[in-house]
Amino acid sequence: MSESQETLSNLLQETRRFPPPAELAENANVTADAYDEAAADRLAFWEKQARRLSWSREWDQVLDWSNPPFAKWFVGGELNVAYNCVDRHVEAGRGAKVAFHWEGEPGDTRTLTYADLQREVNKAANALLELGVRKGDRVAIYLPMIPELPVSMLACARIGATHSVVFGGFSADALRTRIDDAQAKLVITADGGYRRGKPSALKPTVDEAVEATKSVEHVLVVRRTGEDVVQNGRDVWWHDLVDRQSDQHDAEAHDAEHPLYILYTSGTTGKPKGILHTTGGYLTQVSYTHHAVFDLKPGSDVYWCSADIGWVTGHSYIVYGPLANGATSVMYEGTPDTPHKGRWWEIIQKYKVTIFYTAPTAIRTFMKWGDDIPAQYDLSSLRVLGSVGEPINPEAYVWYRENIGGGHCPVVDTWWQTETGAVMISPLPGVTAGKPGAAMRPLPGIVADVVDDQGNPVPDGGGGFLVLKEPWPSMLRTIWGDDERFVKTYWSRFEDMYFAGDGAKKDDDGDIWLLGRVDDVMLVSGHNISTTEVESALVSHPKVAEAAVVGATDPVTGQAIVAFVIPRGSAGEEVEGDEFAGELRDHVARSLGPIAKPRQIMIVPELPKTRSGKIMRRLLKDVAENRSIGDVTTLADSTVMDLISQKLPSAK
Ligand code: 6R9
């Protein structure tokens, strides 16, 4: 048997379970009884979690669901998010504790303790007030991953202004649409940030965007790269305005349902949706889930989430959850391969990171770069690993566990969405025996299910649509300015259930596996086939680093599977040609059955991804169906489609 066949048979029988390490289980923040406790009385469970926070006024009612799907949590309660994330830790004598070890891409660093953060947030809050920003106003934030980003968000939260963070890689047009939709009064930005070893300007994009808007009164500009910026009448330098403010500010308590932030999610079609999150329920659930899913021990852990704060993962698990829990975090400005491909592992080694949270797209990239890179660093401080953003292929899970986690760290695959605000389905690291590729069970207090077309629960072993059957504290409250679209998008597919738009299956134990967006499901000769399963089968081949599959119209089978494959590491040179494609097709047929065999396999150097790292199958479908390629504006790298098109003659 050849080596590749051995690996194959191993993976086809990947039924390994990874129980929690004994020590972690014994000292876990959350144990199995949490499931029973929450099942017995869900609202009492969430009420108990709300007490993790400091409230100025106690709520009168845990949940008001009298006008579904418009939920109100902790009705009548009042609290201040910034006070909960910063001041209360200082008041408890933990002001000298590090909140952020910040690492700039060029290698400059800043350390912010909770006391530093308190001073910075207070000064920024006073500066916003001086600029005329008031409670209820909207503030757009378009910043690189620098400390002023969380400081700005907390300053808004402190005074009750609603922030709308726009990812720093978005175009002027995308920024303008978001400013207009929220009618933002202020934009906070920087001259630029560092990206792949070079300064990359932000301010010109803001100038272009703001030119065409009516609501913006001021632009507050942080100096980061020192490049020349054009000064307009409405511009104010951060260092001129914020630095001279008082570092004292009394935080007023806001209603539990006061709008905390809007975050735009583009989805596959249509105008971006402004997902609205509010104050009390959101902070309760991000704090609880960060404590439960990562087993965070604020006294000893060093936590790092590699996401960009421009996405919900950064909002909930770099800013609000960790700070509410008094965590010490790492925050990194740049890309994983600047100045070298070991940068992330170097950071883990340097700060002795214990909990690390990243995305499958990053993990697959590291697999492609080779095992020898992480092997050069001391990663022994790690104890829990997390994954988010896409289904994690079993192969990537095992690689992550072995090569980053030293074979002993639990991997928590966390399913959630911008709309859910916080993690919903995930293993608990001290409780769950993890299965590579499965998100496992809804967290305590969450009621999720997999249902068929008619909304009936599927039995164990069945597949269908993922739904949420009961409201949860950090749920989106609406789409900003468009209640009707909120109801139509999420609450109309099934009666009384939230439709997540993801396909899922329950295995024979009743554990949940995510199968990709339902829009991407393929229908081949009358069978529903998930993109995730075929991609995972491809990625389980030792010579494949990444794969994306789409269903292309086919005269015989309705749809046929077309796969785009990136070869792994050094395999790149040897894999051209029909023989390799044939090998992969057979491999998929053996893993999943002949029905899942791709009609066509294209070897490509890159895959089209959104800026948050999700594969854009829509564009690949255009290629597979020989159409001109659609809108590429949300691609992280717009040259990728050219690279793929150049490869096409080899397709057949
Ligand atoms: C947090 C975030 C949400 C969509 C979601 C699903 C996919 C996220 C996942 C996952 C499988 C996981 N997704 N986590 N799929 N397993 N662990 O990514 O939010 O950017 O709004 O994307 O991402 O398709 O519906 P968002």
Side-chain angles (χ1 to χ4, degrees):
M1 203 194 236
S2 76
E3 194 189 304
S4 74
Q5 278 167 333
E6 253 167 51
T7 320
L8 179 74
S9 50
N10 264 339
L11 281 155
L12 292 180
Q13 289 150 31
E14 178 58 87
T15 50
R16 274 180 292 173
R17 300 288 170 268
F18 296 109
E23 201 204 314
L24 203 161
E26 269 159 43
N27 302 301
N29 284 353
V30 175
T31 52
D33 12 307
Y35 293 107
D36 302 331
E37 185 193 334
D41 190 341
R42 193 173 57 89
L43 296 185
F45 172 83
W46 283 119
E47 183 160 40
K48 181 171 145 192
Q49 305 316 326
R51 292 192 205 287
R52 301 174 54 78
L53 308 176
S54 170
W55 296 74
S56 308
R57 188 185 184 281
E58 172 100 12
W59 50 92
D60 306 311
Q61 190 187 0
V62 180
L63 169 66
D64 175 359
W65 192 234
S66 58
N67 179 29
F70 299 94
K72 290 189 182 130
W73 281 87
F74 307 111
V75 185
E78 290 177 7
L79 75 167
N80 187 288
V81 166
Y83 174 82
N84 272 279
C85 289
V86 184
D87 304 59
R88 67 172 173 145
H89 305 308
V90 179
E91 285 171 16
R94 294 189 295 270
K97 187 174 178 355
V98 174
F100 288 114
H101 292 290
W102 176 80
E103 176 98 8
E105 198 191 72
D108 50 335
T109 60
R110 274 170 73 183
T111 308
L112 275 98
T113 64
Y114 277 90
D116 294 333
L117 200 55
Q118 184 181 39
R119 283 189 290 272
E120 295 301 320
V121 172
N122 285 351
K123 287 200 284 188
N126 288 324
L128 295 186
L129 291 169
E130 189 178 316
L131 290 176
V133 178
R134 294 291 175 265
K135 179 169 178 170
D137 288 343
R138 272 81 56 208
V139 174
I141 304 179
Y142 185 71
L143 281 171
M145 284 284 287
I146 56 176
E148 285 78 5
L149 173 49
V151 165
S152 298
M153 293 162 75
L154 291 162
C156 288
R158 196 168 182 99
I159 66 171
T162 302
H163 61 70
S164 159
V165 177
V166 180
F167 174 61
F170 274 134
S171 66
D173 205 38
L175 178 60
R176 182 188 50 76
T177 331
R178 287 157 175 78
I179 291 173
D180 276 344
D181 188 71
Q183 289 292 292
K185 206 167 167 180
L186 173 71
V187 180
I188 307 179
T189 188
D191 48 0
Y194 290 93
R195 205 79 200 142
R196 302 201 183 283
K198 289 194 290 273
S200 129
L202 284 177
K203 181 61 171 37
T205 312
V206 175
D207 290 341
E208 195 188 329
V210 168
E211 202 51 50
T213 61
K214 294 204 178 65
S215 59
V216 177
E217 293 170 9
H218 295 285
V219 177
L220 182 57
V221 189
V222 178
R223 184 181 275 156
R224 165 69 183 135
T225 54
E227 282 165 292
D228 286 344
V229 299
V230 182
Q231 281 277 35
N232 295 308
R234 57 183 162 243
D235 293 352
V236 192
W237 280 111
W238 179 284
H239 54 265
D240 284 341
L241 178 72
V242 180
D243 289 2
R244 66 173 163 77
Q245 300 294 321
S246 157
D247 61 11
Q248 304 293 310
H249 175 267
D250 282 333
E252 167 202 350
H254 304 297
D255 189 89
E257 284 298 339
H258 185 68
L260 177 63
Y261 70 79
I262 304 166
L263 184 58
Y264 288 85
T265 168
S266 44
T268 39
T269 47
K271 150 171 178 276
K273 301 187 279 278
I275 303 302
L276 178 68
H277 284 293
T278 60
T279 297
Y282 174 79
L283 200 65
T284 295
Q285 195 173 332
V286 295
S287 165
Y288 172 69
T289 51
H290 184 254
H291 160 87
V293 169
F294 299 107
D295 192 48
L296 178 96
K297 308 282 196 276
S300 53
D301 277 318
V302 179
Y303 164 86
W304 181 22
C305 166
S306 72
D308 192 288
I309 293 177
W311 311 117
V312 75
T313 305
H315 279 62
S316 298
Y317 298 106
I318 296 178
V319 182
Y320 292 115
L323 292 176
N325 292 343
T328 292
S329 297
V330 168
M331 178 176 165
Y332 172 54
E333 178 184 30
T335 43
D337 52 353
T338 308
H340 56 79
K341 291 185 169 130
R343 183 71 188 270
W344 279 14
W345 319 126
E346 188 177 72
I347 292 174
I348 291 180
Q349 172 177 285
K350 175 173 174 187
Y351 295 103
K352 299 193 167 40
V353 171
T354 59
I355 304 171
F356 181 55
Y357 191 26
T358 193
T361 175
I363 298 167
R364 291 187 304 253
T365 302
F366 296 127
M367 288 170 73
K368 188 167 61 183
W369 288 347
D371 306 359
D372 51 317
I373 297 173
Q376 291 159 32
Y377 299 89
D378 179 3
L379 306 178
S380 61
S381 53
L382 288 168
R383 64 182 198 92
V384 177
L385 300 175
S387 172
V388 61
E390 287 181 296
I392 182 166
N393 322 96
E395 181 78 10
Y397 177 113
V398 171
W399 186 92
Y400 191 30
R401 198 185 142 90
E402 297 297 324
N403 291 275
I404 307 305
H408 61 83
C409 299
V411 174
V412 288
D413 174 17
T414 64
W415 178 87
W416 58 295
Q417 308 177 296
T418 305
E419 292 85 342
T420 69
V423 177
M424 304 294 280
I425 305 178
S426 166
L428 286 174
V431 177
T432 315
K435 296 177 184 174
M440 306 298 291
R441 299 264 160 160
L443 287 176
I446 300 303
V447 187
D449 206 344
V450 182
V451 299
D452 64 19
D453 252 1
Q454 306 302 313
N456 302 311
V458 302
D460 288 352
F465 304 94
L466 185 72
V467 294
L468 300 166
K469 291 186 155 172
E470 294 289 348
W472 62 101
S474 64
M475 65 194 271
L476 77 165
R477 297 304 194 258
T478 189
I479 293 173
W480 183 258
D482 202 344
D483 287 350
E484 203 182 306
R485 191 172 177 203
F486 167 62
V487 175
K488 197 163 160 264
T489 309
Y490 305 107
W491 300 93
S492 304
R493 177 70 179 77
F494 301 109
E495 212 175 317
D496 300 332
M497 289 186 241
Y498 172 88
F499 172 61
D502 282 318
K505 70 175 184 195
K506 288 190 226 168
D507 67 17
D508 294 338
D509 304 322
D511 292 322
I512 294 177
W513 298 65
L514 275 303
L515 298 177
R517 300 294 295 167
V518 294
D519 307 339
D520 291 334
V521 166
M522 303 171 292
L523 191 61
V524 182
S525 306
H527 295 267
N528 273 323
I529 299 179
S530 100
T531 51
T532 302
E533 286 183 309
V534 180
E535 287 163 10
S536 287
L538 286 163
V539 171
S540 78
H541 189 284
K543 287 189 205 149
V544 174
E546 282 215 73
V549 305
V550 297
T553 312
D554 184 278
V556 181
T557 53
Q559 279 192 325
I561 302 175
V562 177
F564 297 78
V565 165
I566 307 182
R568 193 158 162 173
S570 56
E573 296 86 57
E574 327 155 6
V575 296
E576 291 296 333
D578 295 351
E579 204 182 316
F580 182 52
E583 190 180 324
L584 293 182
R585 294 172 70 229
D586 291 346
H587 176 77
V588 173
R590 275 198 303 273
S591 312
L592 297 172
I595 184 85
K597 198 165 169 168
R599 178 185 76 188
Q600 200 175 348
I601 295 197
M602 304 190 190
I603 311 298
V604 292
E606 288 295 341
L607 291 171
K609 293 191 183 149
T610 65
R611 291 181 167 99
S612 63
K614 296 186 210 295
I615 297 171
M616 284 183 75
R617 294 181 188 75
R618 170 172 65 77
L619 298 176
L620 294 174
K621 202 165 160 148
D622 292 342
V623 172
E625 295 185 338
N626 286 319
R627 261 196 311 272
S628 60
I629 290 159
D631 182 8
V632 294
T633 50
T634 55
L635 272 182
D637 176 358
S638 56
T639 63
V640 164
M641 289 316 292
D642 299 336
L643 283 175
I644 292 174
S645 307
Q646 282 163 18
K647 280 277 177 180
L648 286 194
S650 69
K652 49 179 74 72

